[in-house]
């Protein structure tokens, strides 16, 4: 759910109830059309802030009221910085342990996941968060495009081995050698691309850190998102080790 949609609630067009009703109806219709059977859980994903928190929580309440009639659970994604705030009124949360760094800063090493970034959120009282949580870790990567030190956007293309167009700087970044188009972006010679792909060791270290803060805490471990391209970056035993936490 976009923050724009949440911020617009309360006007003449939409209310928290009407938005929840639209989402719930849409989800049920999609499941029916694709013959997926009965929905067991609906997860609300919204990067809410202090200004949209109240409205989003109202949507959660309305969604729970609708879902309970069909015995459907409601969960919500939780960002690391939201752990210090009261949890949304849902049945369960998924802690998104990724996108932890400042993506727009050229000095950032890896905005998807860094151990130090996660450590800064793992305070003493984190396990007292009053909502059962599952934990999601990244298995994806991307390129972050900069021009003259200024952020230009995200490239989902991650193969920069073509030496005709890219020069490996040896520090996880690549210099564009020749003007060309890529994913709708016009790349100029001298642009810099920061390739971000958390290693299995980093993900495992972070999973161990989170697990130590939520000791003996029943939860599911999620890798996002799990497709053949991302799986190729990890060995089978590495995935098994991550899931062991």
């Amino acid at each position: 759910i976009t923050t724009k949609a949440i911020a617009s609630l309360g006007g003449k067009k939409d209310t928290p109830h009407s938005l929840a009703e639209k989402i719930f109806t849409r989800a049920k219709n999609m499941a029916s059309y694709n013959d997926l059977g009965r929905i067991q859980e609906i997860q609300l994903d919204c990067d809410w802030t202090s200004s949209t928190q109240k409205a989003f929580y109202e949507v959660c309440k309305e969604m729970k009221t609708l879902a309970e009639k069909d015995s459907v659970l409601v969960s919500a994604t939780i960002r690391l910085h939201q752990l210090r705030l009261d949890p949304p009124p849902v049945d369960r949360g998924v802690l998104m342990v990724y996108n932890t760094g400042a993506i727009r800063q050229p000095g950032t090493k890896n905005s998807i996941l860094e151990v130090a970034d996660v450590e800064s959120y793992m305070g003493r009282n984190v396990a007292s968060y009053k909502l059962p949580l599952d934990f999601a870790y990244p298995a994806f990567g991307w390129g972050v495009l900069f021009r003259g030190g200024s952020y230009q956007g995200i490239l989902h293309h991650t193969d920069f081995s073509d030496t005709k167009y890219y020069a490996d700087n040896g520090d996880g970044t690549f210099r564009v050698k020749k003007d060309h188009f890529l994913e709708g972006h016009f790349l100029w010679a001298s642009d810099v691309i920061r390739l971000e792909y958390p290693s299995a060791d980093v993900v495992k270290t972070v999973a161990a850190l989170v697990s130590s803060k939520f000791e003996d805490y029943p939860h599911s471990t999620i890798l996002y998102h799990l497709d053949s391209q991302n799986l190729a970056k990890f060995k089978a035993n590495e995935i098994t080790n991550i899931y062991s936490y």
Side-chain angles (χ1 to χ4, degrees):
I1 307 174
T2 65
T3 52
K4 183 179 179 181
I6 295 296
S8 69
L9 296 179
K12 295 181 179 179
K13 186 177 181 180
D14 278 317
T15 65
H17 175 77
S18 67
L19 180 58
E21 194 170 45
K22 289 176 182 177
I23 294 170
F24 190 60
T25 301
R26 175 74 177 272
K28 288 201 299 182
N29 288 344
M30 290 170 66
S32 175
Y33 180 81
N34 291 284
D35 196 23
L36 299 179
R38 188 183 74 83
I39 293 176
Q40 299 183 47
E41 178 181 335
I42 290 179
Q43 186 170 109
L44 302 177
D45 180 16
C46 179
D47 192 8
W48 51 267
T49 62
S50 57
S51 63
T52 53
Q53 177 181 356
K54 182 178 179 181
F56 175 64
Y57 282 21
E58 288 297 323
V59 173
C60 291
K61 289 179 184 177
E62 295 291 344
M63 181 64 77
K64 265 187 65 67
T65 299
L66 292 169
E68 284 173 353
K69 296 176 183 178
D70 285 4
S71 299
V72 175
L73 296 176
V74 178
S75 61
T77 54
I78 308 296
R79 273 69 174 173
L80 286 167
H81 68 87
Q82 295 167 347
L83 284 174
R84 58 184 175 82
L85 304 170
D86 291 333
V90 293
D91 298 302
R92 195 168 188 88
V94 172
L95 186 63
M96 300 167 67
V97 193
Y98 51 85
N99 294 355
T100 59
I103 190 172
R104 294 174 177 269
Q105 297 299 320
T108 297
K109 182 179 178 182
N110 193 320
S111 68
I112 295 176
L113 190 67
E114 281 290 329
V115 177
D117 291 335
V118 178
E119 282 178 332
S120 67
Y121 293 103
M122 292 290 112
R124 182 182 302 175
N125 299 322
V126 70
S128 63
Y129 188 70
K130 297 178 181 178
L131 183 70
L133 292 173
D134 297 315
F135 306 116
Y137 304 104
F140 64 91
W142 56 35
V144 187
L145 178 64
F146 290 91
R147 180 169 300 140
S150 178
Y151 169 84
Q152 300 297 308
I154 292 174
L155 301 170
H156 294 286
H157 178 87
T158 56
D159 182 4
F160 303 107
S161 59
D162 189 340
T163 56
K164 178 181 177 180
Y165 289 99
Y166 311 106
D168 189 342
N169 293 326
D171 60 356
T173 67
F174 294 81
R175 178 177 57 83
V176 176
K177 297 170 64 176
K178 185 177 181 180
D179 295 356
H180 65 285
F181 276 101
L182 182 63
E183 295 181 356
H185 295 273
F186 187 79
L187 276 59
W188 295 359
S190 78
D191 283 354
V192 173
I193 300 167
R194 182 177 68 219
L195 180 60
E196 300 185 345
Y197 243 121
S199 69
D201 284 342
V202 168
V203 176
K204 186 174 71 173
T205 299
V206 169
L209 169 63
V210 173
S211 180
S212 71
K213 296 296 182 179
F214 294 87
E215 195 172 3
D216 299 324
Y217 187 92
H219 67 274
S220 294
T221 297
I222 301 162
L223 282 176
Y224 175 78
H225 57 280
L226 210 54
D227 64 16
S228 57
Q229 181 177 340
N230 292 328
L231 277 174
K233 301 290 183 180
F234 293 168
K235 298 177 182 177
N237 68 301
E238 292 173 332
I239 294 175
T240 301
N241 287 337
I242 294 168
Y243 276 129
S244 69
Y245 290 103

